[in-house]
Amino acid sequence: MPGLMGGDSEDGPGDGGPVSPEEFARALAALGGFEPAPAVAVGVSGGGDSVALVLLLRHWVAEQGGSLLALTVDHGLRPESAGEAAAVGRAMSRLGVPHRILRWDGAKPSTGVQAAARTARHRLLGAACAEAGILHLALAHHRDDQAETVLLRLARGSGIDGLAGMAPVRADGAVRVVRPLLRFSHDRLLATCRAEGVDWIEDPSNRNPRFARARLRVARETLGGEGLDASRLGEVARRAGRARAALEQATAALLAEAATVHPEGWITLAPAPLRSAPPEIALRALGAALAAVGGPAHPVRDEALERLLDGLAEGQGGTLGGCLVRMRRGVVMVAREPVAVTERPTVAPGEMIRWDGRFDLRVSSSHRRPVTVAALGADGWREWAGRQAPERLPDLPVPVRESLPSLWSGADLLGVPMIGMCYGFGADGQHPVDRARFCPLSSLGRPAFTVVSDRDGII
């Protein structure tokens, strides 16, 4: 049963007592990028770490003349979770902090529950920030979390990217995720709560040996006795992060020279810059293109990426990460693999959705009934091409045109928003036309690998 730790309970073995507002302000200043009177959201589980973050942010935001919104995700994985989320809401109310509960609805997986919950949590938090017009999302990962992350990645054979651990700042779509507590220990955060006389909830999953992180917490005590403590592991992450940043910068420079992003949802890469780049940078550039077109739901292993890059050097292509990659007209084509596009959502008139992880698509309000959005396919392309004047048809690769979003009513093809699309209104001047915009979740500006060999991604 989750228990409440009282604000007057005895201090544990800390390393400096509560985090002061001045220390926290310096940590935020090191992150940079805050506008005057910033609007900030904070993910709050009710645990001591996230409660401490709320307390520190509440003070900082007030000094900046900004605003703070607390967000709690109810995963629905335990019967008590709804009551716990409501308790967090009451605690936030006592602190004078606005609060929202976000629920993870739908069926839950029987395996990989923590990874699925993490994905759902990030999705819900990001959507809530976008809805509220908030740019900054603060998460309460701390120095001990970072140490466990490095150990987890080390056990899984990660390279530089994995050993760099969690980044203090990263872009997640339209949201800027910040982790201002990475320099502070768990004990100091609990001491911060105690100093304010504020309770917190203990999550029993933190001690459940079913989960790798709970087992690592036990192992860390032994490793700490050999000198491999949280501080030393944090230094590993800092140095690896510095190396990762340099690699990302070199990759971004290569992509600026080699990559062309096409609005129909595909990318081409000039082969000469790829060939002349150091192999590690070329691999990252190719991985970034695959992630942008195939989406983060199709992570690629580094060894498979190496085989693909070697094959391209010999004029051979392949499929990887939900993409079809091959040489076309002297450049490397990275296109969505048509057979991998299986989404067929039903969308109401006027509704906007994200389709296939690549397109933001809005269905015109002029439709009289809901429509189905699906990949155009070979038959759909032939039907659509037969309706158009030849000079109006774009010269697109076969896999690109077959994976375009298209609108259907039963077996009737209604339209292909990416072809002949205009951003405006229809003939009646009243209803916006159907439109789709290539807007990948993983942009070319992000690293090719969030974590090289960890399939679970950032925690």
Side-chain angles (χ1 to χ4, degrees), residues 266-301:
W266 58 302
I267 291 172
T268 51
L269 300 169
L274 282 181
R275 285 194 296 266
S276 61
E280 175 67 16
I281 305 305
L283 283 168
R284 287 169 174 263
L286 181 57
L290 288 169
V293 175
H298 302 82
V300 298
R301 295 186 179 276

Side-chain angles (χ1 to χ4, degrees), residues 264-434:
E264 300 87 8
W266 58 302
I267 291 172
T268 51
L269 300 169
L274 282 181
R275 285 194 296 266
S276 61
E280 175 67 16
I281 305 305
L283 283 168
R284 287 169 174 263
L286 181 57
L290 288 169
V293 175
H298 302 82
V300 298
R301 295 186 179 276
D302 40 341
E303 58 269 22
L305 198 58
E306 290 169 357
R307 288 195 297 270
L308 178 60
L309 187 63
D310 290 342
L312 288 171
E314 300 174 1
Q316 302 171 358
T319 57
L320 185 63
C323 298
L324 192 153
V325 184
R326 69 181 184 215
M327 297 299 300
R328 179 181 186 265
R329 298 179 182 176
V331 297
V332 178
M333 176 194 74
V334 181
R336 192 75 165 98
E337 189 180 8
V339 296
V341 184
T342 57
E343 287 186 36
R344 295 182 60 89
T346 299
V347 185
E351 185 179 355
M352 183 173 181
I353 65 164
R354 172 167 285 277
W355 183 78
D356 193 42
R358 296 182 295 152
F359 292 99
D360 286 338
L361 186 146
R362 183 180 296 278
V363 172
S364 171
S365 55
S366 63
H367 291 285
R368 300 187 178 209
R369 58 182 62 87
V371 301
T372 298
V373 182
L376 182 58
D379 292 339
W381 172 260
R382 281 193 293 271
E383 179 178 345
W384 185 250
R387 302 180 190 176
Q388 313 301 315
E391 63 273 11
R392 294 192 59 191
L393 286 175
D395 181 19
L396 296 174
V398 171
V400 172
R401 64 198 194 194
E402 292 183 3
S403 60
L404 288 171
S406 57
L407 309 183
W408 299 76
S409 177
D412 297 327
L413 176 61
L414 303 179
V416 185
M418 293 303 301
I419 301 177
M421 174 185 60
C422 61
Y423 289 95
F425 293 86
D428 60 4
Q430 300 296 318
H431 298 94
V433 297
D434 303 311

Side-chain angles (χ1 to χ4, degrees), residues 37 48 52 59 78-79 93 173 198 200 225 231 261 382 399 403 412 425:
H59 182 273
R78 293 182 289 109
S93 179
V198 175
W200 64 88
S231 180
V261 180
R382 281 193 293 271
S403 60
D412 297 327
F425 293 86

Side-chain angles (χ1 to χ4, degrees), residues 81-156:
S81 64
E84 290 169 1
V88 174
R90 292 190 294 271
M92 294 300 104
S93 179
R94 289 192 293 271
L95 294 173
V97 177
H99 178 257
R100 281 188 59 195
I101 296 175
L102 313 173
R103 290 182 172 81
W104 182 25
D105 296 321
K108 308 299 190 293
S110 56
T111 60
V113 174
Q114 281 203 324
R118 183 166 54 247
T119 299
R121 180 166 63 250
H122 281 242
R123 172 178 56 81
L124 290 167
L125 290 171
C129 288
E131 182 182 337
I134 293 175
L135 174 62
H136 313 284
L137 170 63
L139 300 179
H141 300 105
H142 48 76
R143 191 183 71 180
D144 301 281
D145 289 328
Q146 185 74 299
E148 289 164 8
T149 298
V150 173
L151 279 178
L152 184 65
R153 307 287 163 69
L154 186 62
R156 294 179 178 177

Side-chain angles (χ1 to χ4, degrees), residues 1 20 55-56 67 134 145 150 178 225 241 276 278 323 348 395 444 448-449:
M1 293 283 294
S20 70
L55 294 171
L56 293 164
S67 62
I134 293 175
D145 289 328
V150 173
V178 297
S276 61
C323 298
D395 181 19
L444 290 181
F449 307 100

Side-chain angles (χ1 to χ4, degrees), residues 23-34 60 168-169 176 178 180 183:
E23 287 179 289
F24 184 69
R26 287 194 295 271
L28 283 175
L31 301 181
F34 291 97
W60 182 82
V169 182
R176 179 174 175 262
V178 297
R183 64 176 65 180

